[in-house]
Amino acid sequence: LTGCDLPVCTTSSESGGLVSLDFLSKGCQYGVLLANGTVEDRQAGAKNLPSGIVKRLMMRNWKLVLIPVLVLVVAAASGLVLADDLSAPRQEVRPAMLESRLARTTSGSLAAEVGGPEQVYLPLIANQIPAYVPKIAFETIRDGNYEIYLMNPDGSDQANLTRHPAKDVAPAWSPDGKRLAFVSDREDNNEEIYVTNRDGTGIVRLTNNPASDGWPTWSPDGTQIAFQSDRDSGPKPRFDIYVMNADGSEQKRITSEPRHDRWPAWSPDGAWITFTSNREIVKKIYLIRPDSRDLTLLSRLNVGYDDRYSTWSPDGRITFVSNREALTDGSTDEEIYMMAVNGSTLRQLTDNDDGDWLARWESGGERFVFYSDRDGEYHKNILVKVLATGAEIRLTNNTWNDEYPVWSP
């Protein structure tokens, strides 16, 4: 069960003296509490609620209006109140805290007797992000240092996830949407890869190397993470592509070139990793099989301009950033393009006089999120592009940089 804002009653119906109320609460799921102590989730089906948690609220014979509802959650045995005054500052409730509280109430009984099988929709209890709610993670320097924030797909509820004085950047969602890999220099002033739960708990360090490790990307089955590192570059730093298990074990290099190989991205079927390399002077996009290391050049016609920041759409096409317009109109800005996995069928997705970078797709493939400096070089903000209509919707409007957004599954 997860926490949410005060619900609003949207519909009601009455049959045989019984009332059914539908509540819509911003940013969270809702469920119905039956008189027998069962909570029925609208998506997940019926779940048992331990006795003694909820003081049942009876509602009868009222008309269809929008009304706020206060729900007091009372444990009769211990006297513990789980839902505080909604006007007071809300306490963050971690999963372990919630489990402890539930355990303390299992021996209690309902604090009030209510006749009949009334149904009362209640806000969910703990202040925790549900796994099924999509979020956009991004890095920002709005707090004076780089932190990772989460927000809803419409730009609302922007919240600091990492809350650390060190630099936290480059978020990457796990395929199940429950964890985030990210890069931080929090322990030894050196960039390493970490993983955290989506509520900011359970942070685990995956790499531990004197060199710089960064840009994590998950395999679609969630068992591996590809990343870039300059650990084997020798006296002249250069990045190569590496792969490790999701727990940080078995770290191995899959590219080895005198020049940089950077910014890996795993294909939806797990067969390929794209990355950017300047092994032919200008930046070009390559495909490599992580198991056999078979290599394919995609930017075959790239002459005199850079292609970089490759990502994958859910249907297996490749999006990337390029300044190829400089050859035709003399501009220096970069735009977002799309191509087939064989490098054909090129399509330009953004077109303006400023830079647009790093398309990251929602799971349905209808929209992607990106960041742009159309408000100025040091005022990068995040937008969403609707592929079918071309509409662009701004999600952040910050005076400092908001960058590298990524949509959760």
Side-chain angles (χ1 to χ4, degrees):
L1 297 180
T2 55
C4 55
D5 298 330
L6 187 65
V8 175
C9 174
T10 58
T11 62
S12 66
S13 61
E14 184 173 352
S15 176
L18 304 180
V19 177
S20 174
L21 307 177
D22 284 340
F23 289 95
L24 177 62
S25 179
K26 180 180 180 182
C28 64
Q29 175 66 346
Y30 57 88
V32 57
L33 174 65
L34 305 178
N36 63 3
T38 298
V39 170
E40 181 180 338
D41 190 290
R42 282 296 189 187
Q43 291 184 354
K47 298 179 181 178
N48 291 328
L49 184 70
S51 63
I53 298 179
V54 179
K55 179 180 180 179
R56 292 205 301 258
L57 176 67
M58 180 174 67
M59 298 174 133
R60 291 176 180 270
N61 302 325
W62 58 284
K63 303 298 181 181
L64 177 58
V65 292
L66 296 177
I67 60 170
V69 179
L70 284 176
V71 181
L72 296 178
V73 184
V74 179
S78 63
L80 177 66
V81 177
L82 295 184
D84 297 332
D85 180 1
L86 293 176
S87 64
R90 299 182 62 183
Q91 178 186 10
E92 185 175 7
V93 181
R94 301 296 189 190
M97 297 168 59
L98 179 62
E99 293 171 3
S100 174
R101 290 183 177 183
L102 294 181
R104 293 170 59 185
T105 62
T106 52
S107 61
S109 59
L110 291 174
E113 288 298 326
V114 180
E118 284 80 5
Q119 300 180 358
V120 180
Y121 288 84
L122 301 175
L124 302 178
I125 298 174
N127 189 18
Q128 176 193 359
I129 302 172
Y132 52 80
V133 175
K135 289 284 182 178
I136 293 174
F138 63 99
E139 67 179 59
T140 179
I141 200 171
R142 64 181 65 181
D143 296 323
N145 65 298
Y146 274 105
E147 301 276 10
I148 293 174
Y149 270 59
L150 299 184
M151 64 178 168
N152 291 332
D154 63 359
S156 63
D157 295 336
Q158 298 180 24
N160 191 335
L161 178 71
T162 48
R163 297 184 180 274
H164 197 279
K167 178 176 68 175
D168 298 322
V169 295
W173 287 103
S174 62
D176 60 7
K178 295 180 179 179
R179 293 177 293 168
L180 269 171
F182 66 99
V183 177
S184 180
D185 60 1
R186 60 180 56 201
E187 293 190 38
D188 50 15
N189 200 33
N190 183 59
E191 292 185 343
E192 304 287 354
I193 297 174
Y194 295 76
V195 169
T196 180
N197 296 328
R198 63 182 286 144
D199 63 357
T201 64
I203 294 179
V204 177
R205 181 173 177 171
L206 299 186
T207 63
N208 189 357
N209 193 282
S212 174
D213 299 328
W215 209 264
T217 176
W218 296 76
S219 63
D221 62 4
T223 62
Q224 293 181 295
I225 295 174
F227 62 100
Q228 66 183 36
S229 178
D230 62 356
R231 61 181 64 182
D232 295 315
S233 61
K236 185 178 180 179
R238 76 169 194 281
F239 283 96
D240 290 309
I241 307 300
Y242 291 74
V243 172
M244 63 181 168
N245 292 333
D247 62 1
S249 62
E250 299 186 26
Q251 300 179 21
K252 58 183 179 180
R253 182 170 57 173
I254 63 172
T255 70
S256 179
E257 284 292 323
R259 293 183 179 271
H260 290 298
D261 295 337
R262 304 186 69 177
W263 306 312
W266 222 304
S267 66
D269 61 3
W272 297 95
I273 293 174
T274 56
F275 65 94
T276 301
S277 179
N278 65 346
R279 57 182 68 184
E280 295 185 15
I281 310 301
V282 296
K283 297 181 180 69
K284 297 185 178 184
I285 296 172
Y286 292 78
L287 277 173
I288 189 171
R289 288 192 180 274
D291 49 359
S292 65
R293 306 189 185 183
D294 292 340
L295 192 68
T296 302
L297 172 63
L298 294 182
S299 303
R300 292 186 297 271
L301 301 179
N302 179 338
V303 179
Y305 52 84
D306 292 324
D307 295 340
R308 61 180 181 143
Y309 287 156
S310 58
T311 59
W312 293 81
S313 67
D315 62 1
R317 289 179 289 177
I318 297 170
T319 46
F320 64 98
V321 172
S322 179
N323 64 348
R324 58 184 61 204
E325 274 192 340
L327 295 180
T328 58
D329 62 10
S331 64
T332 58
D333 62 289
E334 294 179 290
E335 303 292 348
I336 297 173
Y337 293 79
M338 175 185 286
M339 63 181 169
V341 71
N342 62 2
S344 66
T345 322
L346 185 68
R347 176 183 176 185
Q348 185 172 344
L349 300 183
T350 64
D351 187 10
N352 65 86
D353 294 332
D354 300 288
D356 297 327
W357 298 282
L358 199 63
R360 296 279 186 59
W361 294 82
E362 67 167 342
S363 58
E366 298 177 353
R367 300 177 293 172
F368 63 86
V369 65
F370 66 101
Y371 71 99
S372 175
D373 68 350
R374 46 189 82 178
D375 294 323
E377 183 178 358
Y378 299 105
H379 300 282
K380 296 183 178 73
N381 280 291
I382 296 172
L383 299 91
V384 165
K385 178 99 174 183
V386 181
L387 193 61
T389 65
E392 294 179 349
I393 302 101
R394 179 192 292 266
L395 300 187
T396 68
N397 189 8
N398 194 40
T399 55
W400 293 94
N401 289 343
D402 296 333
E403 303 171 278
Y404 302 102
V406 56
W407 216 308
S408 70

